[in-house]
Amino acid sequence: MYNFLYYKDDEGIREPWFFENSKLPIILSYLAPIDIYAIAFGPWVWCRGEMDVETRNHETIHYHQQLELLFIGQWILYVFYWLKGLITYRNGEIAYRQSPFEREAYSNDTNLDYLKTRKPFAWRHYRESNTEST
Ligand SMILES: [Zn+2]
């Protein structure tokens, strides 16, 4: 039902536009609680260096999270979960790592076939915080 969101007509996985060797992650790192290597926002991904396949996969997982939440929903929830984590852990980096969007992406970015079988809204299954990756 949601397949058109995630796949192109030829069944290939929808991917964002990648911009490598970008200064944007460096600039944003001054504002963020973590050192940003790559960032997905809307249909674009910026990376401070060349992207390896796992980083590409990680950022494409974020792209699919944004697609299913019509972008704005993911941005709101991303901030919500980060603030929730900040209150819980009082540490920006842990809050970032415990976000269900990051937990889904980090748990699956080494599986290059993940997006071929990913279920819609799969990040929901990563809402319960723990330090184990599932
Ligand atoms: Zn991420």
Side-chain angles (χ1 to χ4, degrees):
M1 172 179 164
Y2 296 102
N3 282 359
F4 71 96
L5 261 183
Y6 308 104
Y7 306 107
K8 297 180 289 194
D9 291 342
D10 62 3
E11 307 260 307
I13 290 166
R14 277 194 201 284
E15 291 195 326
W17 282 305
F18 294 107
F19 297 98
E20 297 181 301
N21 301 310
S22 164
K23 291 211 169 28
L24 190 66
I26 300 167
I27 296 164
L28 290 175
S29 291
Y30 291 114
L31 310 168
I34 53 153
D35 233 16
I36 297 169
Y37 180 67
I39 182 163
F41 187 77
W44 308 285
V45 168
W46 296 269
C47 181
R48 54 168 83 193
E50 313 265 315
M51 298 183 82
D52 57 30
V53 286
E54 284 165 16
T55 308
R56 250 171 216 270
N57 198 32
H58 183 104
E59 299 304 329
T60 306
I61 293 168
H62 286 320
Y63 180 55
H64 284 219
Q65 292 166 345
Q66 292 178 89
L67 285 174
E68 66 202 3
L69 290 164
L70 309 176
F71 295 100
I72 186 80
Q74 201 262 5
W75 305 336
I76 291 168
L77 285 173
Y78 194 98
V79 171
F80 167 78
Y81 282 114
W82 186 74
L83 290 174
K84 189 174 169 225
L86 204 57
I87 290 163
T88 308
Y89 304 107
R90 310 210 168 259
N91 177 311
E93 187 163 356
I94 297 172
Y96 154 79
R97 278 282 189 165
Q98 291 296 331
S99 149
F101 298 112
E102 292 303 340
R103 292 183 61 223
E104 184 196 4
Y106 279 108
S107 297
N108 299 289
D109 56 10
T110 56
N111 175 3
L112 300 182
D113 291 325
Y114 176 65
L115 285 171
K116 292 178 190 162
T117 55
R118 176 183 182 267
K119 298 271 187 296
F121 303 97
W123 55 271
R124 289 181 305 135
H125 304 296
Y126 295 84
R127 282 177 298 180
E128 280 308 307
S129 296
N130 61 54
T131 47
E132 294 297 311
S133 55
T134 41

